[in-house]
């Protein structure tokens, strides 16, 4: 079956760095997405990786290892507004998105 | 980025009634999808809305319960029929821009339905 695993909840301190991990098992693979979802709002796109390696975009970076079925989202210089759920989603061979349950990130002052 | 407008944003409904959610996208979007997100859970794809033809439903979702229309490229509706409390959820319209395999998904604001 197809499956996405990510931690349910994480806590970090303002100004620090946090890494949210995601492992996936899909029928084929056409890339991995990270979305941010604030409470009561729709998800918004953060990043897309299809090749191995690190993609950096400002304070946020995303890493992919296709051989390990593994990705992470790295958030630097955490701000209170980064408190949100972070959804990992893999694109399978049919170009369907398989979604993880999301990681709720709590930022403390 | 694509703009997706969805309404109603929230509603409280009585058991046994039906509610139609409308979704308007801008012209950049080629594919449209309807998702459900129950509290604290991930997104579940209900169906892909196909222009001018029947939607493609995912396992566990049927047309009688969730009829979907997409009369043109930029508009779609999802009806939640004969509602029960188990249908209380957030329903999200989403669209994908061209670049099928890499195009990101854009989401509407969501419709939060509470069924009493």
């Amino acid at each position: 079956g197809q499956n996405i695993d990510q931690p349910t909840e994480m806590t970090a301190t303002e100004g620090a760095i946090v890494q949210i991990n995601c492992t996936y098992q899909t029928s084929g693979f056409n890339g991995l997405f990270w979305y941010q979802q604030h409470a009561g709002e729709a998800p918004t796109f953060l990043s897309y990786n299809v090749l191995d390696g690190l993609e950096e975009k400002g304070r946020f970076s995303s890493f992919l290892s296709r051989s390990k079925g593994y990705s992470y989202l790295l958030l630097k210089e955490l701000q209170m507004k980064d408190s949100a759920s972070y959804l990992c989603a893999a694109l399978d061979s049919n170009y369907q998105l398989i979604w993880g349950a999301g990681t709720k990130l709590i930022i403390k002052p | 980025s694509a703009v997706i407008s969805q309404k109603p944003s929230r509603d409280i409904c009585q058991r046994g009634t039906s509610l139609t959610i409308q979704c308007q996208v801008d012209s950049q979007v080629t594919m449209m999808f309807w998702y459900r997100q129950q509290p604290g859970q991930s997104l579940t794809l209900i169906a892909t809305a196909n222009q001018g033809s029947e939607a493609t439903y995912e396992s566990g979702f049927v047309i009688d319960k969730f009829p979907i229309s997409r009369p043109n490229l930029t508009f779609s509706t999802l009806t939640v029929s004969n509602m029960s409390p188990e249908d209380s959820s957030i329903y999200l319209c989403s669209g994908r821009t061209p670049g099928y395999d890499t195009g990101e998904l854009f989401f509407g604001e969501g419709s939060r339905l509470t069924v009493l």
Side-chain angles (χ1 to χ4, degrees):
Chain A
Q2 307 203 94
N3 193 51
I4 304 283
D5 284 319
Q6 54 181 128
T8 304
E9 185 174 298
M10 298 182 71
T11 302
T13 305
E14 189 176 16
I17 299 173
V18 71
Q19 177 174 311
I20 303 174
N21 296 324
C22 170
T23 57
Y24 63 89
Q25 292 176 307
T26 56
S27 302
F29 179 75
N30 282 297
L32 190 122
F33 290 84
W34 283 95
Y35 281 79
Q36 181 190 59
Q37 186 176 24
H38 285 101
E41 298 182 14
T44 55
F45 171 81
L46 286 178
S47 68
Y48 171 74
N49 294 66
V50 67
L51 301 177
D52 285 354
L54 188 68
E55 297 273 346
E56 296 187 70
K57 192 185 294 184
R59 293 189 299 114
F60 291 9
S61 303
S62 55
F63 171 83
L64 176 67
S65 169
R66 294 178 67 134
S67 63
K68 295 181 179 178
Y70 167 70
S71 173
Y72 68 72
L73 181 69
L74 190 72
L75 292 77
K76 303 177 184 177
E77 300 170 16
L78 285 170
Q79 302 174 9
M80 298 303 293
K81 67 178 182 179
D82 297 330
S83 293
S85 286
Y86 291 85
L87 304 172
C88 172
L91 202 60
D92 71 8
S93 58
N94 294 319
Y95 297 101
Q96 294 275 43
L97 275 173
I98 312 301
W99 293 87
T103 299
K104 182 178 180 181
L105 179 63
I106 300 169
I107 309 296
K108 295 185 174 179
Chain B
S1 61
V3 176
I4 300 182
S5 302
Q6 188 176 336
K7 60 180 181 181
S9 59
R10 60 179 62 234
D11 207 338
I12 298 174
C13 308
Q14 296 298 319
R15 182 196 297 261
T17 62
S18 299
L19 181 79
T20 296
I21 303 167
Q22 298 181 4
C23 178
Q24 181 76 47
V25 304
D26 68 22
S27 58
Q28 295 181 66
V29 169
T30 52
M31 297 190 71
M32 292 181 71
F33 308 92
W34 287 96
Y35 281 90
R36 182 171 72 184
Q37 186 176 32
Q38 294 180 311
Q41 297 189 21
S42 185
L43 299 169
T44 302
L45 181 64
I46 297 172
T48 302
N50 299 310
Q51 182 189 356
S53 65
E54 191 172 295
T56 304
Y57 290 84
E58 298 300 307
S59 176
F61 297 96
V62 295
I63 188 171
D64 290 344
K65 176 67 176 177
F66 298 101
I68 289 171
S69 76
R70 189 180 176 189
N72 56 55
L73 195 61
T74 61
F75 184 77
S76 178
T77 65
L78 167 74
T79 299
V80 186
S81 302
N82 188 25
M83 286 185 283
S84 67
E86 292 72 34
D87 295 321
S88 297
S89 187
I90 298 172
Y91 293 84
L92 292 156
C93 172
S94 69
R96 178 177 282 161
T97 54
Y100 182 34
D101 57 339
T102 59
E104 64 185 84
L105 271 184
F106 296 92
F107 288 88
E109 306 92 338
S111 297
R112 184 183 295 270
L113 301 189
T114 302
V115 185
L116 303 178

